[in-house]
Amino acid sequence: MPVLGNGHSRVIKSLGLVFGDIGTSPIYTVGAILLFLLPTTGNILGIISLVIWTLFTIITVQYVWLAMSLGTKGEGGTIVLRGILATLLKPGITLSAVTILTVAGIALFIGDGVITPAISILSAVEGIALVPGFSGFAGTDVLLIAALIAIGLFIIQKKGTEHVAWMFGPVMLVWFVALGVTGAIAIIAAPQVLLALSPTFAFAFVMENGITSFFVMSAVILCVTGGEALYADMGHLGREPIIKGWYCIFPALVLSYLGQGAYVIAGGSTKNVLFSMVHAIIPIGYVPFLILSIAATVIASQAMISGMFSIVYQAMNTKLLPRMKIDYTSAELRSQIYIDTINWLLMVAVLVVMIGFGSSESLSSAYGLAVAGTMLISAILMLLIFILRAEAVKAMVCGLLIEVDVLFLLSSFVKIPTGAYWSVLIAALPFVIILAYIRGQDRLHDMLRPVPLEDFIPKYTAAYNSLPKIHGTALYFTGEVSKVSSYVPQIFFQNEILYENNIFVSIVTHDKPFGVTTEFDTNLAPGLQVFTVRCGYMEIIDLIQLLRAQGIEEKTIFYGIENIVSDRFFWKIYSIIKKVTPPFVQFYTLPPEKIHGVVTRVVM
């Protein structure tokens, strides 16, 4: 396809990869807010002002300015913030608290990731009811079409979306133009809505409405869904394209919200406000707009699914989650990945949420808690970083943002009786799994007690000089070079299996996201060498290629497997995680005919 200048091309690409979620929020946000109050002119000016200034405060200030100023190579996300803090803090209570916050952030992101596709697709499909002849389209019909779209979206993940991904940016560009143009036209009917650009109307609304404004804020937060994605996806495109993309779409979002406000002030419907507005001002263009909105929500859902794969991959590389099988869906882009387990679990969860709530209106009453929680966690981690780096101005601004985020989180608690507990329940599952895995790995490490290298070498040398050796080279995976995994002495000294060449392979993931270096120490002991790979947690390495580059041709590959046995509930969870998790060697797509697992039974 024809290519624009590289800078413009990356900005347009960001519209499809990053801004889909926040770009489809106008479909349901205003309607969700109007469930709480009467559509008087004063109320409309207040809520539209709240929406606009929430977008500015949370997205422009918290994410675009503060969050994106962190990182070294354009990477982003909650795990990145933890990585930065790991370099600034000494191991202890504070770093442990940071890890727990990070785990909570990941869990809430997953909770958000389940509800986002459900509400986006449902809200777009519900627009079909305004098409002439489809006025009775509702309930089961909406659910069926929305479910089919969702199922189709998850099915194509296996094959990868690279061959259609180039369309995402241009489609979203058309979508944002359509939002801006329709909003601008609608403003003509009630130009006084432009007063909402002043933050005084937002403050006045909050002051005058008391507890009602608290309920309203639980719906206003829907306008910033996808804010965390701006930061989390920064590693894919870099900082500049996302910032430029935001400055392009922010006016379009503002115009759309102003237009919806003007439409309601002029006496328009308070249900499906965006679709009703477009149907009223441009009847002939409604069906194309509806089709465009469905495409936009599918793209937004795709961005969330890709983001889910990305954050799970980062969590695996930082040892917060167990290894899972990764498929690479692009020959050119190693960042295009597919995780089978996550894909199908996510699909089932999305379908359950769709069927359980039945409509975007019902779902909007449950949406927002996970978003607010994720925003607050990011703000707290950023505040710690700015304090430790002695960046006083940013720390002060971040402190103010935390107050705003806390207010949004508290307001979201009012949704718990109407379904927000779903976010908590969905997030609780990965939270417990991650904590069980982290604690289990620590306990396992203490119980198996790796052998210090200085104690291992003399015993190995004696065995190597006295025992018969198998022709060829064997690889042995071990965690740290200075501490030999406990299964290795079992092979050498108990089973008396020694090869002519024995190579320890250690893969070390460091706190920075990118970079791959290798080191091959051939002088450890007679017939004993160490091959070390150091890589960033976002890197996807080809281990076989790295081995071949050092001239290593292995005959056999050994690795340790732990069989966990326990009567305690918490350790049973860890045991189940270990049993259903593929051996980590599969993560590196090694030749299966060469792999041999050595099982160690561990009673916890």
Side-chain angles (χ1 to χ4, degrees), residues 46 57 161 171 207 210 218 255 272 297 385 407 512 573 579:
T57 304
T161 56
V171 169
M207 293 296 103
S218 71
L255 284 172
N272 287 328
T297 55
I385 292 170
L407 194 58
K512 294 184 178 179
I573 295 174
K579 285 175 181 175

Side-chain angles (χ1 to χ4, degrees), residues 54-271:
T54 297
L55 280 170
F56 178 80
T57 304
I58 302 300
I59 306 300
T60 305
V61 179
Q62 178 167 330
Y63 286 109
V64 173
W65 178 43
L66 292 178
M68 291 191 180
S69 69
L70 300 172
T72 55
K73 292 187 178 180
E75 70 284 356
T78 309
I79 294 176
V80 170
L81 295 178
R82 174 183 175 269
I84 295 171
L85 284 166
T87 64
L88 298 172
L89 293 168
K90 294 179 181 179
I93 294 175
T94 305
L95 190 55
S96 297
V98 166
T99 298
I100 291 174
L101 278 176
T102 303
V103 171
I106 295 169
L108 288 170
F109 184 84
I110 292 171
D112 184 23
V114 170
I115 297 179
T116 296
I119 193 172
S120 297
I121 295 172
L122 273 174
S123 59
V125 172
E126 285 167 354
I128 295 174
L130 294 176
V131 176
F134 287 85
S135 57
F137 186 82
T140 307
D141 298 329
V142 171
L143 278 177
L144 180 60
I145 299 298
L148 288 174
I149 292 173
I151 291 169
L153 181 61
F154 284 103
I155 287 174
I156 66 169
Q157 298 303 312
K158 178 76 172 177
K159 297 180 179 178
T161 56
E162 183 189 15
H163 57 292
V164 293
W166 65 268
M167 295 169 52
F168 291 173
V171 169
M172 291 306 297
L173 177 61
V174 175
W175 169 249
F176 286 117
V177 170
L179 284 179
V181 170
T182 53
I185 294 172
I187 290 172
I188 297 171
Q192 65 266 36
V193 79
L194 293 172
L195 293 170
L197 291 171
S198 169
T200 56
F201 283 87
F203 285 116
F205 177 83
V206 173
M207 293 296 103
E208 292 170 9
N209 287 275
I211 191 66
T212 302
S213 64
F214 197 65
F215 283 89
V216 167
M217 287 186 71
S218 71
V220 169
I221 196 173
L222 299 183
C223 75
V224 292
T225 54
E228 186 71 18
L230 301 186
Y231 182 42
D233 290 338
M234 197 164 61
H236 293 296
L237 294 169
R239 180 174 180 265
E240 289 303 317
I242 294 177
I243 291 176
K244 290 178 180 177
W246 171 245
Y247 290 144
C248 290
I249 73 161
F250 183 45
L253 293 174
V254 170
L255 284 172
S256 181
Y257 285 119
L258 287 170
Q260 291 183 59
Y263 170 72
V264 175
I265 288 174
S269 172
T270 59
K271 301 278 188 180

Side-chain angles (χ1 to χ4, degrees), residues 184-508:
I185 294 172
I187 290 172
I188 297 171
Q192 65 266 36
V193 79
L194 293 172
L195 293 170
L197 291 171
S198 169
T200 56
F201 283 87
F203 285 116
F205 177 83
V206 173
M207 293 296 103
E208 292 170 9
N209 287 275
I211 191 66
T212 302
S213 64
F214 197 65
F215 283 89
V216 167
M217 287 186 71
S218 71
V220 169
I221 196 173
L222 299 183
C223 75
V224 292
T225 54
E228 186 71 18
L230 301 186
Y231 182 42
D233 290 338
M234 197 164 61
H236 293 296
L237 294 169
R239 180 174 180 265
E240 289 303 317
I242 294 177
I243 291 176
K244 290 178 180 177
W246 171 245
Y247 290 144
C248 290
I249 73 161
F250 183 45
L253 293 174
V254 170
L255 284 172
S256 181
Y257 285 119
L258 287 170
Q260 291 183 59
Y263 170 72
V264 175
I265 288 174
S269 172
T270 59
K271 301 278 188 180
N272 287 328
V273 180
L274 178 63
F275 290 129
S276 299
M277 178 190 80
V278 174
H279 188 266
I281 62 174
I282 317 175
I284 195 171
Y286 179 72
V287 172
F289 182 86
L290 176 63
I291 294 170
L292 182 62
S293 73
I294 293 175
T297 55
V298 169
I299 292 170
S301 301
Q302 172 61 49
M304 178 55 76
I305 295 168
S306 298
M308 194 77 71
F309 291 157
S310 180
I311 199 167
V312 168
Y313 182 77
Q314 289 183 36
M316 286 190 288
N317 271 359
T318 48
K319 299 178 181 178
L320 296 176
L321 275 174
R323 300 284 192 182
M324 283 176 260
K325 185 70 172 67
I326 302 288
D327 291 316
Y328 308 112
T329 59
S330 169
E332 287 77 29
L333 296 172
R334 295 283 286 177
S335 61
Q336 294 286 329
I337 60 175
Y338 168 79
I339 306 175
D340 194 69
T341 305
I342 299 300
N343 187 67
W344 299 121
L345 286 175
L346 191 57
M347 186 190 79
V348 170
V350 167
L351 292 176
V352 168
V353 167
M354 278 184 174
I355 295 168
F357 285 90
S359 70
S360 64
E361 184 178 293
S362 299
L363 202 46
S364 69
S365 65
Y367 198 23
L369 184 59
V371 178
T374 306
M375 282 172 11
L376 178 59
I377 288 169
S378 293
I380 292 171
L381 297 180
M382 286 191 291
L383 177 62
L384 282 173
I385 292 170
F386 293 135
I387 290 173
L388 292 168
R389 288 183 173 180
E391 298 183 44
V393 174
K394 289 182 177 179
M396 287 171 55
V397 173
C398 210
L400 294 173
L401 283 170
I402 287 176
E403 293 181 20
V404 174
D405 291 345
V406 166
L407 194 58
F408 274 118
L409 181 62
L410 292 175
S411 71
S412 297
F413 284 143
V414 304
K415 292 182 173 182
I416 288 179
T418 59
Y421 59 86
W422 273 88
S423 294
V424 179
L425 290 176
I426 294 168
L429 182 61
F431 185 78
V432 170
I433 288 173
I434 294 171
L435 282 186
Y437 181 72
I438 293 172
R439 287 198 59 197
Q441 288 292 92
D442 289 343
R443 179 74 181 275
L444 186 64
H445 185 270
D446 292 339
M447 294 182 72
L448 291 182
R449 294 176 184 174
V451 181
L453 187 62
E454 59 269 21
D455 296 338
F456 174 82
I457 292 294
K459 199 170 182 181
Y460 163 80
T461 303
Y464 189 82
N465 291 332
S466 61
L467 294 174
K469 289 167 281 295
I470 301 171
H471 177 70
T473 298
L475 306 181
Y476 306 83
F477 280 94
T478 187
E480 301 175 36
V481 176
S482 60
K483 296 177 181 178
V484 181
S485 297
S486 58
Y487 80 91
V488 177
Q490 181 182 332
I491 297 173
F492 286 174
F493 311 137
Q494 183 175 327
N495 299 326
E496 296 186 341
I497 297 173
L498 278 168
Y499 279 72
E500 290 177 347
N501 293 305
N502 303 279
I503 302 176
F504 291 161
V505 178
S506 175
I507 299 172
V508 180

